[in-house]
Amino acid sequence: MTASHSTQGPDKPDVETAIIGAGFGGLCMAIALKKSGRRSFVILEKEADAGGTWLVNRYPGCACDVPSHLYSYSFELNANWSRAYSPQPEIHAYVQRCVDKYDLAPHIRFNTELEQAQFDEAAGLWRLQTAGGDTLTARTLVGALGFLNLPAIPDIPGRDTFEGTSFHSRYWNEDCDLTGKRVAVIGTGASAIQFVPQIAPKVGALTVFQRTPPWVLPKPDRPVTGFEHWLFRHVPAVQRAIRGGIYWALECLAIPFIRRPKAMRMFERLGKWHMRRQVPDSALREKLTPSYRLGCKRILFSNDYYPSLTKPGVEVVTDAVTEITPAGVVTEDGRHHDVDVIIYGTGFKATDPVPRGLIIGSGNRDIVDAWDDGPEAYLGTAVSGFPNLFFIIGPNTGLGHSSMIFMIESQVAYIAEAVASLQNAGARSLELKPKVQQRYNEDIQKKLKKTVWLTGGCRSWYLHPSGKNVTLWPGFTWQFRRRTRRFSISDYTVSSG
Ligand code: NAP
């Protein structure tokens, strides 16, 4: 993949569209382009396989906390999910089947990491450079990087001096046998509550360092029966109806998130009941009880997390971690916890999803500088100053209550129309008008003020250091679908010629 492959003129790109990332978003975009008859596109994927988050997160117990029936493309239901909530290997296998079915492999450059994409204003195209030194030009760039792709490892003093094994949940060390080891887990988020129950029975001792207790609700998980599989295969309308039912039930849950945070109290009661049933020790329950409104941080679902914390040899430590030494972890009470392995379940840089130097727009401006005050876009997709660039799962498209695939499909339809409009207009570039971006963001930030994420009394990874919520969509998902339904070229400045 080098520019010299191009046999076209200087202003003609090597490909019409370059997509960054072969996860759910990038693949959905590729399928949409193919369905609309476009073949001039390439997906750059830094990993050796497709799947994005569902390829790289392979920690024990990794599974989806969105019901299986809703966690697939709407045009590609899977009749064979084994459980109500799918485990990671099945979701990854589903993605691979989509790659095969839509014959996407010829369009994907695996092991190809984008180093920099720079917009060439004169030519109206993106010049891409990969880490391997290849170059490529594209009229349109689609950033489908995901917003949970850069692991966050806290800068704890002494971290690099640790002489045992340490790794982040996203880089699970499969060569590290935890049997009989003294293990520290830092963090109690969505990933940790899935892998802690898996490792607790085999380790020698487990210390879970909890900074903020999460709200944990029962997970209505169960195996899908043979009869259901038969039914879904032979009468797909049944699965579609169930999917629709789940979608609308979850949409109702948006109300307490975005309009009536106080209504979360009923779910808090459920969470406390769940804890009482599973944690007999009242001192441990006290440590595990959150003091903020449910929903302010991501709600977690698990039936085995609390029981795993009650096992002999498992300790929950709530004193803050202050230092890491060659032999373990020190907490603010001065206690030294000797451990052989440290696992960081400390999440991702969600409010800082694009590294500096990766995307350079008009006037040589790095997107990191444009997002100084926190990432923002129009419809989570287009950014003023960055012509012909569209994000999938960009700023303020995350959800607390439903499936991201619904949001992905909404954005993909919008971007597919943008690509068509660019071509139909015979234009060099489309650049979002600053006013459109400003008005849109003022509106959603106003709406966000009333949501549980800003009124719930917590500090979460949803918030940028500036205090703005830059990650979540403050509405129903059907409202996002309605807003992305039509691409309006009048929102953009069109450069022709
Ligand atoms: P996370 O939810 O952000 O949790 C990170 C944890 O690390 C939190 O408990 C945090 O505490 C703690 N932490 C961070 N820095 C710390 C420090 N210096 N000292 C002590 N504790 C520290 O990360 P995650 O569990 O990897 O999950 C990230 C996101 O991935 C989820 O929220 C979810 O959106 C997604 N996910 C989804 C699924 C799914 O099924 N769909 C599954 C797994 C993950 P504080 O709470 O105090 O900040």
Side-chain angles (χ1 to χ4, degrees), residues 153-382:
I153 302 184
D155 212 4
I156 302 166
R159 199 185 70 200
D160 296 336
T161 67
F162 183 59
E163 286 174 357
T165 306
S166 64
F167 52 89
H168 187 278
S169 58
R170 183 258 177 250
Y171 292 104
W172 195 267
N173 184 339
E174 278 157 29
D175 298 330
C176 176
D177 181 5
L178 297 175
T179 312
K181 299 258 169 61
R182 296 164 305 171
V183 178
V185 170
I186 302 183
T188 52
S191 303
I193 66 129
Q194 292 184 336
F195 68 73
V196 162
Q198 302 296 313
I199 65 171
K202 61 157 82 163
V203 299
L206 179 62
T207 313
V208 177
F209 293 91
Q210 173 194 274
R211 188 165 66 180
T212 315
W215 281 104
V216 182
L217 298 185
K219 188 171 185 177
D221 195 14
R222 64 171 182 85
V224 177
T225 64
F227 172 69
E228 285 172 296
H229 283 141
W230 179 90
L231 197 60
F232 299 152
R233 270 183 228 124
H234 293 90
V235 195
V238 173
Q239 192 179 17
R240 207 158 272 291
I242 293 173
R243 179 183 164 102
I246 295 171
Y247 171 79
W248 286 109
L250 294 183
E251 279 304 81
C252 294
L253 288 184
I255 297 167
F257 278 99
I258 57 177
R259 302 244 170 101
R260 300 265 180 280
K262 281 190 183 153
M264 286 295 189
R265 280 196 197 126
M266 61 182 164
F267 298 110
E268 290 174 4
R269 280 199 283 275
L270 175 64
K272 285 183 179 164
W273 170 81
H274 187 45
M275 196 193 300
R276 272 198 310 277
R277 264 187 15 159
Q278 298 198 318
V279 183
D281 175 2
S282 62
L284 180 56
R285 278 206 308 270
E286 200 174 315
K287 283 185 183 177
L288 298 175
T289 304
S291 59
Y292 55 88
R293 179 109 296 157
L294 181 142
C296 184
K297 284 169 176 278
R298 190 175 169 94
I299 304 171
L300 308 183
F301 297 89
S302 174
N303 301 328
D304 53 8
Y305 176 62
Y306 285 146
S308 71
L309 301 180
T310 65
K311 289 198 172 2
V314 178
E315 186 187 1
V316 177
V317 172
T318 53
D319 295 297
V321 173
T322 52
E323 191 188 344
I324 291 179
T325 69
V329 177
V330 181
T331 40
E332 65 180 348
D333 56 349
R335 195 169 150 208
H336 189 279
H337 306 261
D338 291 339
V339 295
D340 307 306
V341 180
I342 299 176
I343 306 174
Y344 293 96
T346 44
F348 298 85
K349 297 178 183 169
T351 59
D352 212 5
V354 181
R356 179 171 288 283
L358 191 72
I359 298 179
I360 314 289
S362 300
N364 239 353
R365 190 157 195 228
D366 194 310
I367 200 156
V368 173
D369 293 321
W371 284 352
D372 216 15
D373 201 24
E376 70 167 45
Y378 175 57
L379 300 169
T381 310

Side-chain angles (χ1 to χ4, degrees), residues 69-88:
H69 290 308
L70 203 55
Y71 209 80
S72 66
Y73 296 130
S74 60
F75 52 85
E76 201 55 56
L77 298 199
N78 177 16
N80 301 315
W81 295 122
S82 69
R83 305 193 62 84
Y85 291 83
S86 309
Q88 172 267 336

